[in-house]
Amino acid sequence: MTFLYWEGSTKLLPLSKLLPGLDAHGVNNSIPWTIVFTLTLLTLLPAIVLSMTPMVRLLVVFHFLRQALGTQTAPSNQVLMGLGLMMTWFLMQPVLVNVEKQAVEPFQQGQISGWEAIERGTDPPKRFMLRYAREKDLALFTSAGLVAKPNKPEDLPLRVVVPAYMLSELKAGFEIGAVLFLPFLLVDMIVASITTSIGMYQLPPVVISTPLKILLFVIADGWNLLAGSLLKSF
C-alpha cells in the first residue's frame, strides 16, 4: 500500500484517501471505465439523439414544411439535420447539466462506481421523456413488455419509456405538420382553381403556386415563427 504525508500532519495516510480516483496501490481504476463509457457513448450517440431527444419531432415538422412549400430538396437534408441538431442541443442543455452534476462529476471524483453513474445519468433524460410521453403509449409498452404496474411513472424502465416517448413525439410532429400544411394547401387550391378557370391547362399550377408559397413564407418570417412555436411546444 502506498502512503503519503498529509501537509500539517505527522501521520502516514493511504494514497487512496488523498486521491479518490486511485486505489490502494496508486492505480487509477476510473480510467478503464472512462474509456468504456466514451466508446459506448460514441457508438450509441446517433441512436440516443434520435430516440431520447426532441430530434424526432423537429425533423418530422421540417420535412412536412419542405413538402408543403413544394421545394423538394431545399433546404437540403443536411441543413434540416443541422438545424434540428442545434435546436435539440439547445432544448436538452438543462438535462445535460443535470446529468453532469448527478453522474459525471461524482464519477470523475471517484465517489460512485461506473454502474451507479449510469443509473444516475439515465434519471434526468427519463424524467424529460416522461414529461412528453402519453399515458396511452406508456400503457401500451408496459402491457406488451409484461412489466408490473409501477407506483409512479418514474419507476418504469427505459425499455418502456423510450419507445413510448418516440410514439408520442411522432404523433406530436404529425399534428404540427398537418396544421402547417393547411395554409399552403389553400394556396395550391386557389392557384389551381384560377388557372383552370382562365384556361391555362398547359401551365401546371405548381409552377405558379410554389414561388407564391415561398414568398408568403418569407414575408411572414416563417422560420422564426416555426422555430418559436417548436421551442414553446417543449
Side-chain angles (χ1 to χ4, degrees), residues 62-114:
F62 290 155
H63 282 282
F64 264 105
L65 173 63
R66 189 171 66 180
Q67 292 295 324
L69 288 173
T71 55
Q72 302 300 324
T73 58
S76 63
N77 290 332
Q78 292 82 357
V79 174
L80 295 180
M81 185 71 71
L83 178 60
L85 187 61
M86 290 300 101
M87 291 182 64
T88 298
W89 176 76
F90 178 82
L91 291 167
M92 293 297 293
Q93 189 174 8
V95 179
L96 297 177
V97 170
N98 290 334
V99 171
E100 184 177 4
K101 290 181 180 179
Q102 297 181 17
V104 178
E105 291 181 358
F107 174 73
Q108 289 178 343
Q109 296 172 3
Q111 300 175 359
I112 58 177
S113 62

Side-chain angles (χ1 to χ4, degrees), residues 22-156:
L22 303 181
D23 61 6
H25 301 285
V27 179
N28 192 340
N29 288 327
S30 66
I31 293 179
W33 275 105
T34 303
I35 296 174
V36 171
F37 288 161
T38 302
L39 294 177
T40 304
L41 182 62
L42 290 176
T43 303
L44 299 177
L45 187 59
I48 293 174
V49 171
L50 287 175
S51 60
M52 300 176 65
T53 68
M55 190 75 168
V56 174
R57 183 189 301 192
L58 298 177
L59 290 182
V60 169
V61 173
F62 290 155
H63 282 282
F64 264 105
L65 173 63
R66 189 171 66 180
Q67 292 295 324
L69 288 173
T71 55
Q72 302 300 324
T73 58
S76 63
N77 290 332
Q78 292 82 357
V79 174
L80 295 180
M81 185 71 71
L83 178 60
L85 187 61
M86 290 300 101
M87 291 182 64
T88 298
W89 176 76
F90 178 82
L91 291 167
M92 293 297 293
Q93 189 174 8
V95 179
L96 297 177
V97 170
N98 290 334
V99 171
E100 184 177 4
K101 290 181 180 179
Q102 297 181 17
V104 178
E105 291 181 358
F107 174 73
Q108 289 178 343
Q109 296 172 3
Q111 300 175 359
I112 58 177
S113 62
W115 290 115
E116 189 175 356
I118 293 176
E119 292 178 358
R120 289 190 181 185
T122 57
D123 184 59
K126 181 191 290 187
R127 284 189 276 110
F128 173 83
M129 290 185 289
L130 287 172
R131 192 184 311 166
Y132 302 103
R134 300 187 306 166
E135 293 184 4
K136 184 177 181 180
D137 296 326
L138 291 171
L140 171 65
F141 286 99
T142 300
S143 176
L146 301 179
V147 178
K149 187 176 181 180
N151 296 326
K152 55 183 179 178
E154 288 76 9
D155 296 334
L156 289 171

